[in-house]
Amino acid sequence: MGKQDKHTMLFHLFFSVFVLLTAGIHVVQSSSYHHHRPGPSKLFVFGDSYADTGNNPKSVSKSWHPPYGITFPGQPSGRWSDGRVLTDYVASFIGIKSPMPYRWIKFAPKSLSHGINFAYGGTGVFDTLVSQPNMTTQIDFFQQLINSGIYSKRDLNSSVALVSVAGNDYGAYNARNGTAQGLPAFIASVVNQTTLNLKRIHGLGVKKVAVIALLPLGCLPQSTVLSSYQQCNKTQNTAVRFHNLLLKQAVEKLNNETKSPTFILLDLNSAFMSAFDKKNSGNLKFGFGNPLKPCCMGIDASNSCGIVDQSGAKKYKVCKNPKVAFFWDEVHPTQAGWQAVSLSLKSSLNQFV
Ligand SMILES: *[C@@H]1O[C@H](CO)[C@@H](O)[C@H](O)[C@H]1NC(C)=O
Ligand SMILES: *[C@@H]1O[C@H](CO)[C@@H](O)[C@H](O)[C@H]1NC(C)=O
Ligand SMILES: *[C@@H]1O[C@H](CO)[C@@H](O)[C@H](O)[C@H]1NC(C)=O
Ligand SMILES: *[C@@H]1O[C@H](CO)[C@@H](O)[C@H](O)[C@H]1NC(C)=O
Ligand SMILES: *[C@@H]1O[C@H](CO)[C@@H](O)[C@H](O)[C@H]1NC(C)=O
Ligand SMILES: *[C@@H]1O[C@H](CO)[C@@H](O)[C@H](O)[C@H]1NC(C)=O
């Protein structure tokens, strides 16, 4: 892989972290006659690498190269992890198959019964450092499909959405040398745009829409590497708390307007923090070691997980057992990490069904 590719991938890795909202929707063809269970039958997914299950192009994305996917499905699948990601656990909680990535629907137009995943790793509500569809464009894709008639109103009425977004907006802000003074206004504009997106998804007929509250960005290995994975960046975590506060207020306002709990906040900040705490509290249910140290990392600072040189030699190393690591690479949890996070989100996810 050339230097160019490597840089593209590094960008990807660094800025492909966040997913905000997820909504699920009922399946079109089957919901009218076969209502197997009371919950939603379809899940529509928007956002970034925390939710993407294979939309990033193979040519530019590390997620399509080893060692991604070694735990599940056993080979790279376009997921930014060793295995399953947030979307897979949310789908499983609802009791449906993980929705098909949008890029494949032209090859399997009949496989839309569980919904569609429109999330692209590296993206945000605004344009980031990757040239993949931002969240507005992802919703445009959804709207075009609805206009083409593939889902009935009734299908949409029994569907939910999941949104994971905004981490990459802040990654891009930093990379563009955004100032500390300008950050509060930028956070407000990110939350405003997110709010518009959530309303739009609901306006298209999706019954309930869940959006992530940002995880502690300052605890990602890309930040903690500076302290040998000992300390989270407090400045970054403070910005995250402000984002989450504004988002919480926006979601409450939206629910006031709809007069029902239509919009659900999935608090990744608390979920990540409690996963990290398990170690300190002696509750080793998931067996994590130092929860801040990633399983897969570059052999030196100029490399990262998944990088190989021109001759194909690996420039990364993988830990023995990803099941005892919380983080997989610089920004993404392992499957075990996502499983722990999903368990923490259970009571919030209950509002989906
Ligand atoms: C999203 O991407 C489209 C297409 O590139 C662009 O026109 C639009 O301005 C972007 N939207 C936002 C909110 O950044
Ligand atoms: C959506 O479903 C609810 C019941 O869950 C029903 O009361 C409502 O009329 C339905 N709306 C549409 C547009 O089908
Ligand atoms: C940001 O600042 C760094 C260091 O001053 C500089 O090298 C880089 O070119 C700047 N990036 C942008 C996008 O302005
Ligand atoms: C966000 O929206 C609110 C209300 O809609 C508005 O008052 C505020 O100026 C907006 N902020 C930004 C930064 O766009
Ligand atoms: C924390 O993050 C901020 C903003 O990205 C950065 O300017 C600062 O140097 C970081 N602090 C430490 C201790 O790494
Ligand atoms: C929601 O509505 C109630 C009563 O209508 C009001 O007291 C409350 O401030 C509203 N909350 C938000 C976040 O708008």
Side-chain angles (χ1 to χ4, degrees), residues 153-155 157-158 207:
K153 281 217 163 58
R154 192 178 189 147
D155 289 327
N157 195 30
S158 63
K207 187 132 190 177

Side-chain angles (χ1 to χ4, degrees), residues 83-138:
R84 295 172 180 86
V85 297
L86 180 62
T87 297
D88 300 307
Y89 285 103
V90 171
S92 160
F93 184 83
I94 294 170
I96 60 175
K97 279 192 180 158
S98 202
M100 160 172 276
Y102 175 67
R103 72 195 294 254
W104 290 331
I105 66 172
K106 52 182 171 295
F107 306 114
K110 295 231 169 83
S111 310
L112 307 175
S113 56
H114 312 294
I116 302 170
N117 187 343
F118 297 95
Y120 285 78
T123 65
V125 291
F126 298 122
D127 289 335
T128 56
L129 303 176
V130 300
S131 56
Q132 302 298 312
N134 63 34
M135 196 177 157
T136 301
T137 304
Q138 294 173 23

Side-chain angles (χ1 to χ4, degrees), residues 185 188-189 192:
S189 68
N192 272 12

Side-chain angles (χ1 to χ4, degrees), residues 263-276:
F263 299 92
I264 300 160
L265 204 57
L266 299 179
D267 189 355
L268 288 196
N269 194 63
S270 300
F272 274 53
M273 285 302 193
S274 78
F276 300 156

